[in-house]
Amino acid sequence: MTPRVEVAIVAETAEHTRVLDRVRWGLVPSWAKDLKIGDRQINARAETIAGKPAYRRAFNKRRCLIPADGFYEWQVVAGRKAKQPVFIHPTEADGLFAFAGVYEVWRDRPIPTRRGCAPVRSSPRARTTRWRPCTTACQ
C-alpha cells in the first residue's frame, strides 16, 4: 500500500451505525490548502495524536478501524545498512485484523470532497511491552 491509494475503513455514522467505506490513505486536515499534505500524514503516532494540529480534530471526532491482512515492519540486519522488510500477518490464510485509525473530510471548491485516513501507530517499544503471547484461551 502506498499513500493516495484507496483503503477500506469501518466508521460510525451520526446515526451510530457502522459503515464500510473507501477513503484515501493519507489524512488531509480540513484546514489544509493542498491535498499533497496527505502524502506526509500516513501514520499518526498514538503518543502525540491528541496534540498534533493535523490529527487533533480527527482524533476527537472521526475514529475508525482499518481492516488489513498484514503489514510490514523493518528489521535491522546485522552487517547491513539496509533494513529487511518483514510481513506481519495472521496465521490463518484468510485472516484479517484491524488498525485503529482516524479519518478526515477535506473540501475545496474546484476539487470534489475527499476523505483521507491514517492508522494510529505506537512506538515499537510500546507495542512489545503491551502485547503478551497468546495462550490457549485466545484460540
Side-chain angles (χ1 to χ4, degrees):
M1 224 170 35
T2 59
R4 295 188 184 182
V5 300
E6 284 196 347
V7 296
I9 66 167
V10 178
E12 191 171 64
T13 67
E15 294 80 29
H16 303 290
T17 59
R18 292 186 187 113
V19 295
L20 181 65
D21 202 357
R22 295 195 68 79
V23 301
R24 170 187 157 135
W25 183 28
L27 187 135
V28 180
S30 60
W31 45 261
K33 301 212 184 303
D34 192 335
L35 281 172
K36 291 179 185 172
I37 192 172
D39 295 346
R40 294 186 307 272
Q41 309 296 335
I42 59 171
N43 289 312
R45 303 285 306 187
E47 298 84 1
T48 59
I49 190 172
K52 295 285 184 182
Y55 298 112
R56 188 179 307 136
R57 183 173 167 198
F59 177 70
N60 288 325
K61 298 186 182 281
R62 294 190 177 94
R63 298 179 187 191
C64 64
L65 294 175
I66 304 171
D69 61 356
F71 64 96
Y72 285 94
E73 284 289 342
W74 297 95
Q75 183 178 38
V76 176
V77 179
R80 293 180 56 197
K81 284 187 178 183
K83 292 181 181 178
Q84 175 73 33
V86 177
F87 187 62
I88 311 295
H89 58 89
T91 55
E92 302 86 29
D94 59 350
L96 286 176
F97 59 91
F99 291 105
V102 292
Y103 71 99
E104 188 60 91
V105 179
W106 185 79
R107 294 175 177 88
D108 191 30
R109 297 257 185 240
I111 299 173
T113 298
R114 301 283 179 120
R115 291 172 314 217
C117 72
V120 178
R121 304 278 315 256
S122 60
S123 69
R125 178 166 170 72
R127 286 195 301 270
T128 58
T129 57
R130 277 190 247 147
W131 288 54
R132 297 182 306 265
C134 185
T135 64
T136 54
C138 300
Q139 300 172 8

